[in-house]
Amino acid sequence: MVIGFHNKMQPVRRMIALCQSSQCQHMLKLTYKHGTCSSIQQRFYSTAGEYKYRKSALFAKRQSKVNQENIPVELDIDIEERLKVKGQLLSELSSRNIHDVDIDQLERDYKKLKELEKRELELEEQKRECTKKVAILFQAKRDNLESSDDIEKELKNVVEIGRQTKKYIKDLFPEVTSTAERVALTSLNLPNRLHENTPLSEDRVEENVDNDTDKSQSLSHIEIGDLFDLIKFSNIGNRAFYFKDSLALLEQALTNYFCERLRHDVYTQLTCPEFFKHLIVEGCGIESEQVLKLKERPENPSDDYLAGVSIMSFIAYVAKSRINLTNEPMKYFSCGRSYAPERENPSLGLFHATQSVKVNTFSMCRDWETCDNLLQTEKNNLWNIYKQFNIPCRLVTISSPSLHRSEEMRVEIQFWAKSLQKYLKISSVSMVSDYISRRLMTRHYKGTLPVYMVHCEALDVTRLIAILMEYGALQQDSYRFPQLEFLDKYWMHPK
């Protein structure tokens, strides 16, 4: 069932826009440095109009004036907490093979930023005191309570102090903003924390189902598809392919089976957009080279990206929103086309297709413990499904060097591809915790804490079909698919 969630998800744009009045411009500029909530240690604001985009779509250099018509994007990067455990941070960066982030320089810049901010606040307070004193002196002058000459002399002195204070603030502003920019851009390159169960060097096999099925090399799905007229690949490029007859029905059967299972497990189905802006791509910690870009416009980093069903589908739905997690967790799923940049080796056919059909799920909760439990539950549910296929498969916890930047932990279900003589990923469950929600303003309905997330690529339909084809029974003039009795309800395949 597809339903709306207007009562559960409230956009925060209106609330933040209220802070952009002329009376609180300066407070808006300083909030990113002095958040009132102890759990939000560092905030940065960027706005589409009054800022010029630089190296990041998530951060733009702060300007002296705020355009009231634009709405800021708030980033909670949690720098201070991460620098408190600097040794752990350095160890995690090393285990992920990330060597382009200078943590020592980040620490120095952050310390300098705090000192500059403190000085800026002191000057602002001094300016306010001068303004108050000028008002008192003007009132005293009108009331003629003191000698007019004494008042004039003191008034000139206070005005001069105020003028000098404004100059100091103006002179300090470029240094504050440039330091804040260095801190923000470096911090945005930091990956998520590592789960305690994430292996640091090599993938760890948790379970292995090695059936009596023959694992010797066989005809590839490309050869089988051509021999029995089941697949047609495009004559003008390797991007397009066409499933015929039984394979087209099998694609629908697998999709329907998984979607029905998810609906039974109280997941809400979403139909999601396939195009995304750079803000969403970077907010998910994804490098732009990993997503199919539609337009190449160097002067504008907000180009459209085509990804289809992916984690970005769900993040675009909840970005800049307050989520009602009273009846947690909230669980969604979506199925449809997924797109990837063209691979270097097109000869692998469906194994690395640029277009594929996938089923993805996405869950949100309030704390790390619940998030970890969601990871385990989804992993176990998927593993029980895939064991039914009676094909050699394994459950693997991926090591830190292979994790995406947003992932704290990832578990994959891999099937043995006979033609390649190696395991390939069919499904995965990723714990991204609060990494993305901190970058894209996803908060609790009541409170300021970020939400925790689990993303699951429940099924790569196209790749699974390719593997199933290689386990079918080949005869001289016929081909029989593997027996999948649990799919009989959904798939009218040849007997």
Side-chain angles (χ1 to χ4, degrees), residues 289-335:
E289 295 79 12
Q290 298 173 320
V291 190
L292 192 63
K293 182 182 288 189
L294 294 185
K295 299 177 182 179
E296 188 65 37
R297 294 180 295 170
E299 74 282 0
N300 183 5
S302 297
D303 290 334
D304 289 330
Y305 292 83
L306 176 63
V309 174
S310 62
I311 188 172
M312 289 173 279
S313 308
F314 305 101
I315 296 303
Y317 181 63
V318 301
K320 298 181 68 175
S321 298
R322 290 193 183 275
I323 314 297
N324 186 353
L325 290 172
T326 303
N327 300 316
E328 64 173 352
M330 294 179 68
K331 302 189 295 185
Y332 306 101
F333 80 93
S334 184
C335 62

Tab-separated table of all heavy atoms in Angstrom, residues 289-335:
chain	number	residue	atom	x	y	z
A	289	GLU	N	31.716	10.627	-9.689
A	289	GLU	CA	32.124	9.702	-10.744
A	289	GLU	C	31.402	8.357	-10.639
A	289	GLU	O	31.391	7.567	-11.586
A	289	GLU	CB	33.633	9.457	-10.695
A	289	GLU	CG	34.487	10.685	-10.988
A	289	GLU	CD	34.599	11.629	-9.798
A	289	GLU	OE1	34.197	11.207	-8.689
A	289	GLU	OE2	35.062	12.767	-9.968
A	290	GLN	N	30.797	8.080	-9.475
A	290	GLN	CA	30.121	6.805	-9.265
A	290	GLN	C	28.671	6.832	-9.722
A	290	GLN	O	27.971	5.815	-9.627
A	290	GLN	CB	30.184	6.428	-7.779
A	290	GLN	CG	31.600	6.242	-7.250
A	290	GLN	CD	31.627	6.039	-5.752
A	290	GLN	OE1	30.895	6.671	-5.008
A	290	GLN	NE2	32.486	5.139	-5.299
A	291	VAL	N	28.207	7.988	-10.201
A	291	VAL	CA	26.822	8.146	-10.624
A	291	VAL	C	26.809	8.649	-12.061
A	291	VAL	O	27.698	9.394	-12.488
A	291	VAL	CB	26.065	9.141	-9.706
A	291	VAL	CG1	24.572	9.117	-10.008
A	291	VAL	CG2	26.317	8.829	-8.245
A	292	LEU	N	25.794	8.260	-12.802
A	292	LEU	CA	25.684	8.654	-14.197
A	292	LEU	C	25.259	10.117	-14.280
A	292	LEU	O	24.172	10.491	-13.848
A	292	LEU	CB	24.653	7.771	-14.898
A	292	LEU	CG	24.583	7.825	-16.420
A	292	LEU	CD1	25.894	7.344	-17.026
A	292	LEU	CD2	23.431	6.972	-16.929
A	293	LYS	N	26.136	10.966	-14.826
A	293	LYS	CA	25.851	12.393	-14.959
A	293	LYS	C	25.252	12.660	-16.333
A	293	LYS	O	25.765	12.206	-17.346
A	293	LYS	CB	27.127	13.205	-14.767
A	293	LYS	CG	26.907	14.712	-14.847
A	293	LYS	CD	28.208	15.494	-14.690
A	293	LYS	CE	28.723	15.459	-13.277
A	293	LYS	NZ	29.859	16.405	-13.088
A	294	LEU	N	24.175	13.442	-16.345
A	294	LEU	CA	23.475	13.699	-17.598
A	294	LEU	C	24.059	14.867	-18.373
A	294	LEU	O	24.093	14.852	-19.588
A	294	LEU	CB	21.988	13.961	-17.328
A	294	LEU	CG	21.201	12.779	-16.774
A	294	LEU	CD1	19.733	13.143	-16.677
A	294	LEU	CD2	21.366	11.547	-17.642
A	295	LYS	N	24.486	15.897	-17.640
A	295	LYS	CA	24.978	17.089	-18.310
A	295	LYS	C	26.337	17.462	-17.759
A	295	LYS	O	26.568	17.383	-16.563
A	295	LYS	CB	24.003	18.259	-18.116
A	295	LYS	CG	22.614	18.004	-18.690
A	295	LYS	CD	21.698	19.172	-18.383
A	295	LYS	CE	20.286	18.923	-18.915
A	295	LYS	NZ	19.373	20.043	-18.591
A	296	GLU	N	27.195	17.908	-18.609
A	296	GLU	CA	28.538	18.332	-18.199
A	296	GLU	C	28.617	19.845	-18.316
A	296	GLU	O	28.792	20.399	-19.398
A	296	GLU	CB	29.594	17.679	-19.084
A	296	GLU	CG	31.011	17.913	-18.588
A	296	GLU	CD	31.267	17.267	-17.247
A	296	GLU	OE1	30.744	16.165	-17.018
A	296	GLU	OE2	31.965	17.869	-16.416
A	297	ARG	N	28.427	20.524	-17.188
A	297	ARG	CA	28.493	21.986	-17.168
A	297	ARG	C	29.437	22.404	-16.053
A	297	ARG	O	29.040	22.530	-14.898
A	297	ARG	CB	27.112	22.592	-16.933
A	297	ARG	CG	26.139	22.344	-18.086
A	297	ARG	CD	24.794	22.967	-17.796
A	297	ARG	NE	24.153	22.341	-16.664
A	297	ARG	CZ	23.055	22.811	-16.085
A	297	ARG	NH1	22.498	23.920	-16.522
A	297	ARG	NH2	22.529	22.177	-15.063
A	298	PRO	N	30.708	22.604	-16.363
A	298	PRO	CA	31.695	22.907	-15.317
A	298	PRO	C	31.352	24.140	-14.500
A	298	PRO	O	31.727	24.231	-13.331
A	298	PRO	CB	32.989	23.118	-16.117
A	298	PRO	CG	32.767	22.411	-17.405
A	298	PRO	CD	31.316	22.540	-17.703
A	299	GLU	N	30.628	25.084	-15.091
A	299	GLU	CA	30.327	26.301	-14.356
A	299	GLU	C	29.202	26.098	-13.338
A	299	GLU	O	28.945	26.962	-12.501
A	299	GLU	CB	29.934	27.420	-15.328
A	299	GLU	CG	28.542	27.292	-15.955
A	299	GLU	CD	28.497	26.278	-17.096
A	299	GLU	OE1	29.563	25.696	-17.380
A	299	GLU	OE2	27.420	26.071	-17.664
A	300	ASN	N	28.525	24.952	-13.388
A	300	ASN	CA	27.411	24.711	-12.479
A	300	ASN	C	27.478	23.298	-11.933
A	300	ASN	O	27.143	22.346	-12.623
A	300	ASN	CB	26.083	24.928	-13.219
A	300	ASN	CG	24.879	24.753	-12.289
A	300	ASN	OD1	25.047	24.571	-11.084
A	300	ASN	ND2	23.688	24.792	-12.848
A	301	PRO	N	27.904	23.123	-10.668
A	301	PRO	CA	28.032	21.780	-10.100
A	301	PRO	C	26.703	21.133	-9.753
A	301	PRO	O	26.660	20.005	-9.318
A	301	PRO	CB	28.868	22.015	-8.832
A	301	PRO	CG	28.543	23.417	-8.443
A	301	PRO	CD	28.339	24.165	-9.737
A	302	SER	N	25.593	21.850	-9.908
A	302	SER	CA	24.285	21.302	-9.589
A	302	SER	C	23.679	20.563	-10.770
A	302	SER	O	22.484	20.656	-11.028
A	302	SER	CB	23.354	22.426	-9.128
A	302	SER	OG	23.832	23.017	-7.959
A	303	ASP	N	24.497	19.863	-11.527
A	303	ASP	CA	24.007	19.095	-12.661
A	303	ASP	C	23.122	17.953	-12.186
A	303	ASP	O	23.214	17.498	-11.053
A	303	ASP	CB	25.180	18.524	-13.465
A	303	ASP	CG	25.941	19.603	-14.206
A	303	ASP	OD1	25.343	20.638	-14.511
A	303	ASP	OD2	27.134	19.394	-14.471
A	304	ASP	N	22.287	17.477	-13.114
A	304	ASP	CA	21.416	16.352	-12.787
A	304	ASP	C	22.179	15.037	-12.926
A	304	ASP	O	22.987	14.857	-13.830
A	304	ASP	CB	20.204	16.344	-13.717
A	304	ASP	CG	19.252	17.485	-13.406
A	304	ASP	OD1	19.194	17.883	-12.237
A	304	ASP	OD2	18.586	17.968	-14.334
A	305	TYR	N	21.857	14.121	-12.031
A	305	TYR	CA	22.432	12.780	-12.060
A	305	TYR	C	21.300	11.779	-12.202
A	305	TYR	O	20.223	11.956	-11.646
A	305	TYR	CB	23.210	12.485	-10.778
A	305	TYR	CG	24.477	13.303	-10.629
A	305	TYR	CD1	24.435	14.599	-10.113
A	305	TYR	CD2	25.705	12.781	-10.992
A	305	TYR	CE1	25.591	15.352	-9.981
A	305	TYR	CE2	26.866	13.517	-10.854
A	305	TYR	CZ	26.798	14.805	-10.346
A	305	TYR	OH	27.953	15.548	-10.211
A	306	LEU	N	21.552	10.709	-12.948
A	306	LEU	CA	20.571	9.651	-13.146
A	306	LEU	C	21.042	8.410	-12.392
A	306	LEU	O	22.079	7.836	-12.720
A	306	LEU	CB	20.416	9.349	-14.640
A	306	LEU	CG	19.478	8.198	-15.001
A	306	LEU	CD1	18.056	8.498	-14.560
A	306	LEU	CD2	19.519	7.927	-16.505
A	307	ALA	N	20.291	8.015	-11.380
A	307	ALA	CA	20.671	6.850	-10.579
A	307	ALA	C	19.546	5.832	-10.484
A	307	ALA	O	19.797	4.647	-10.306
A	307	ALA	CB	21.093	7.283	-9.176
A	308	GLY	N	18.295	6.277	-10.584
A	308	GLY	CA	17.188	5.353	-10.433
A	308	GLY	C	17.044	4.905	-8.988
A	308	GLY	O	17.351	5.648	-8.052
A	309	VAL	N	16.566	3.679	-8.802
A	309	VAL	CA	16.352	3.145	-7.452
A	309	VAL	C	17.699	2.990	-6.753
A	309	VAL	O	18.581	2.269	-7.223
A	309	VAL	CB	15.619	1.796	-7.514
A	309	VAL	CG1	15.537	1.170	-6.131
A	309	VAL	CG2	14.218	1.990	-8.073
A	310	SER	N	17.863	3.685	-5.637
A	310	SER	CA	19.123	3.695	-4.909
A	310	SER	C	18.878	4.332	-3.554
A	310	SER	O	17.744	4.713	-3.227
A	310	SER	CB	20.180	4.512	-5.679
A	310	SER	OG	19.749	5.861	-5.795
A	311	ILE	N	19.921	4.456	-2.759
A	311	ILE	CA	19.770	5.130	-1.477
A	311	ILE	C	19.362	6.583	-1.673
A	311	ILE	O	18.655	7.173	-0.849
A	311	ILE	CB	21.077	5.028	-0.651
A	311	ILE	CG1	20.841	5.575	0.764
A	311	ILE	CG2	22.228	5.752	-1.342
A	311	ILE	CD1	22.002	5.348	1.700
A	312	MET	N	19.775	7.185	-2.797
A	312	MET	CA	19.413	8.575	-3.070
A	312	MET	C	17.914	8.752	-3.245
A	312	MET	O	17.374	9.823	-2.968
A	312	MET	CB	20.163	9.072	-4.304
A	312	MET	CG	21.647	9.261	-4.071
A	312	MET	SD	22.557	9.646	-5.590
A	312	MET	CE	22.739	8.008	-6.287
A	313	SER	N	17.213	7.689	-3.698
A	313	SER	CA	15.769	7.765	-3.856
A	313	SER	C	15.096	8.111	-2.537
A	313	SER	O	14.178	8.939	-2.478
A	313	SER	CB	15.227	6.424	-4.365
A	313	SER	OG	15.912	5.983	-5.512
A	314	PHE	N	15.546	7.484	-1.474
A	314	PHE	CA	14.926	7.676	-0.167
A	314	PHE	C	15.451	8.939	0.518
A	314	PHE	O	14.696	9.646	1.197
A	314	PHE	CB	15.190	6.455	0.709
A	314	PHE	CG	14.755	5.161	0.091
A	314	PHE	CD1	15.677	4.313	-0.498
A	314	PHE	CD2	13.425	4.786	0.082
A	314	PHE	CE1	15.288	3.124	-1.083
A	314	PHE	CE2	13.008	3.596	-0.491
A	314	PHE	CZ	13.942	2.761	-1.076
A	315	ILE	N	16.745	9.206	0.356
A	315	ILE	CA	17.325	10.379	1.013
A	315	ILE	C	16.703	11.661	0.470
A	315	ILE	O	16.431	12.606	1.228
A	315	ILE	CB	18.852	10.392	0.818
A	315	ILE	CG1	19.481	9.182	1.515
A	315	ILE	CG2	19.443	11.684	1.348
A	315	ILE	CD1	19.180	9.085	2.997
A	316	ALA	N	16.445	11.723	-0.838
A	316	ALA	CA	15.795	12.901	-1.401
A	316	ALA	C	14.407	13.094	-0.797
A	316	ALA	O	13.923	14.222	-0.666
A	316	ALA	CB	15.698	12.767	-2.921
A	317	TYR	N	13.769	12.021	-0.399
A	317	TYR	CA	12.424	12.068	0.194
A	317	TYR	C	12.440	12.635	1.610
A	317	TYR	O	11.530	13.352	2.023
A	317	TYR	CB	11.833	10.658	0.186
A	317	TYR	CG	10.435	10.546	0.745
A	317	TYR	CD1	9.378	11.204	0.136
A	317	TYR	CD2	10.179	9.757	1.866
A	317	TYR	CE1	8.093	11.083	0.640
A	317	TYR	CE2	8.910	9.636	2.369
A	317	TYR	CZ	7.859	10.297	1.758
A	317	TYR	OH	6.590	10.173	2.264
A	318	VAL	N	13.496	12.345	2.374
A	318	VAL	CA	13.513	12.746	3.786
A	318	VAL	C	14.470	13.890	4.078
A	318	VAL	O	14.548	14.355	5.215
A	318	VAL	CB	13.868	11.542	4.689
A	318	VAL	CG1	12.869	10.421	4.505
A	318	VAL	CG2	15.287	11.044	4.414
A	319	ALA	N	15.224	14.366	3.070
A	319	ALA	CA	16.177	15.453	3.317
A	319	ALA	C	15.451	16.705	3.773
A	319	ALA	O	14.334	16.998	3.338
A	319	ALA	CB	16.978	15.740	2.054
A	320	LYS	N	16.076	17.457	4.691
A	320	LYS	CA	15.537	18.712	5.209
A	320	LYS	C	14.138	18.522	5.793
A	320	LYS	O	13.227	19.310	5.551
A	320	LYS	CB	15.517	19.791	4.125
A	320	LYS	CG	16.895	20.151	3.595
A	320	LYS	CD	16.845	21.240	2.551
A	320	LYS	CE	16.423	22.551	3.169
A	320	LYS	NZ	16.485	23.668	2.169
A	321	SER	N	13.957	17.449	6.562
A	321	SER	CA	12.651	17.146	7.152
A	321	SER	C	12.814	16.737	8.610
A	321	SER	O	13.869	16.251	9.023
A	321	SER	CB	11.954	16.014	6.390
A	321	SER	OG	11.704	16.377	5.060
A	322	ARG	N	11.744	16.937	9.348
A	322	ARG	CA	11.657	16.391	10.703
A	322	ARG	C	10.756	15.163	10.643
A	322	ARG	O	9.645	15.227	10.123
A	322	ARG	CB	11.108	17.432	11.680
A	322	ARG	CG	12.081	18.569	11.942
A	322	ARG	CD	11.641	19.397	13.148
A	322	ARG	NE	12.522	20.533	13.368
A	322	ARG	CZ	13.653	20.488	14.053
A	322	ARG	NH1	14.039	19.342	14.575
A	322	ARG	NH2	14.399	21.561	14.210
A	323	ILE	N	11.238	14.059	11.186
A	323	ILE	CA	10.556	12.773	11.061
A	323	ILE	C	9.918	12.390	12.390
A	323	ILE	O	10.552	12.462	13.446
A	323	ILE	CB	11.533	11.663	10.644
A	323	ILE	CG1	12.425	12.135	9.488
A	323	ILE	CG2	10.791	10.395	10.281
A	323	ILE	CD1	11.688	12.460	8.230
A	324	ASN	N	8.663	11.977	12.338
A	324	ASN	CA	7.976	11.503	13.528
A	324	ASN	C	8.276	10.014	13.712
A	324	ASN	O	7.736	9.168	13.003
A	324	ASN	CB	6.479	11.732	13.390
A	324	ASN	CG	5.727	11.388	14.664
A	324	ASN	OD1	6.299	10.859	15.605
A	324	ASN	ND2	4.444	11.698	14.695
A	325	LEU	N	9.161	9.716	14.655
A	325	LEU	CA	9.563	8.328	14.895
A	325	LEU	C	8.965	7.795	16.188
A	325	LEU	O	9.553	6.955	16.861
A	325	LEU	CB	11.092	8.241	14.950
A	325	LEU	CG	11.804	8.454	13.613
A	325	LEU	CD1	13.303	8.544	13.802
A	325	LEU	CD2	11.459	7.338	12.634
A	326	THR	N	7.766	8.271	16.514
A	326	THR	CA	7.093	7.790	17.725
A	326	THR	C	6.858	6.293	17.641
A	326	THR	O	7.100	5.541	18.583
A	326	THR	CB	5.753	8.524	17.914
A	326	THR	OG1	5.998	9.930	17.956
A	326	THR	CG2	5.077	8.073	19.206
A	327	ASN	N	6.361	5.846	16.479
A	327	ASN	CA	6.160	4.408	16.262
A	327	ASN	C	7.270	3.891	15.359
A	327	ASN	O	7.059	3.524	14.211
A	327	ASN	CB	4.793	4.164	15.619
A	327	ASN	CG	3.665	4.651	16.476
A	327	ASN	OD1	3.656	4.428	17.687
A	327	ASN	ND2	2.702	5.335	15.876
A	328	GLU	N	8.477	3.931	15.883
A	328	GLU	CA	9.628	3.541	15.067
A	328	GLU	C	9.708	2.040	14.922
A	328	GLU	O	9.131	1.300	15.723
A	328	GLU	CB	10.912	4.102	15.681
A	328	GLU	CG	11.252	3.554	17.042
A	328	GLU	CD	12.621	4.022	17.503
A	328	GLU	OE1	13.365	4.644	16.735
A	328	GLU	OE2	12.939	3.723	18.648
A	329	PRO	N	10.467	1.524	13.968
A	329	PRO	CA	11.118	2.289	12.899
A	329	PRO	C	10.153	2.557	11.745
A	329	PRO	O	9.110	1.929	11.647
A	329	PRO	CB	12.246	1.364	12.464
A	329	PRO	CG	11.693	-0.009	12.693
A	329	PRO	CD	10.830	0.098	13.922
A	330	MET	N	10.538	3.494	10.869
A	330	MET	CA	9.798	3.736	9.636
A	330	MET	C	10.514	2.997	8.519
A	330	MET	O	11.723	3.145	8.349
A	330	MET	CB	9.710	5.231	9.340
A	330	MET	CG	8.896	6.003	10.365
A	330	MET	SD	8.814	7.772	10.013
A	330	MET	CE	7.831	7.757	8.514
A	331	LYS	N	9.744	2.199	7.744
A	331	LYS	CA	10.367	1.324	6.742
A	331	LYS	C	9.699	1.526	5.374
A	331	LYS	O	8.476	1.504	5.269
A	331	LYS	CB	10.245	-0.136	7.182
A	331	LYS	CG	10.878	-0.423	8.539
A	331	LYS	CD	10.936	-1.903	8.849
A	331	LYS	CE	9.573	-2.517	9.006
A	331	LYS	NZ	9.647	-3.944	9.418
A	332	TYR	N	10.530	1.710	4.352
A	332	TYR	CA	10.059	1.927	2.994
A	332	TYR	C	10.759	0.964	2.038
A	332	TYR	O	11.838	0.452	2.332
A	332	TYR	CB	10.362	3.357	2.524
A	332	TYR	CG	9.847	4.448	3.428
A	332	TYR	CD1	10.703	5.099	4.321
A	332	TYR	CD2	8.520	4.835	3.389
A	332	TYR	CE1	10.244	6.100	5.144
A	332	TYR	CE2	8.042	5.846	4.208
A	332	TYR	CZ	8.910	6.475	5.082
A	332	TYR	OH	8.452	7.470	5.904
A	333	PHE	N	10.137	0.759	0.880
A	333	PHE	CA	10.840	0.048	-0.187
A	333	PHE	C	10.406	0.611	-1.530
A	333	PHE	O	9.339	1.226	-1.671
A	333	PHE	CB	10.606	-1.462	-0.109
A	333	PHE	CG	9.296	-1.940	-0.689
A	333	PHE	CD1	9.212	-2.359	-2.013
A	333	PHE	CD2	8.150	-1.986	0.097
A	333	PHE	CE1	8.015	-2.810	-2.547
A	333	PHE	CE2	6.942	-2.429	-0.422
A	333	PHE	CZ	6.870	-2.845	-1.746
A	334	SER	N	11.272	0.411	-2.512
A	334	SER	CA	10.981	0.862	-3.864
A	334	SER	C	11.603	-0.116	-4.847
A	334	SER	O	12.652	-0.710	-4.562
A	334	SER	CB	11.543	2.273	-4.095
A	334	SER	OG	11.189	2.754	-5.378
A	335	CYS	N	10.952	-0.312	-5.968
A	335	CYS	CA	11.504	-1.182	-7.012
A	335	CYS	C	11.423	-0.459	-8.347
A	335	CYS	O	10.517	0.345	-8.582
A	335	CYS	CB	10.767	-2.515	-7.065
A	335	CYS	SG	9.019	-2.372	-7.479
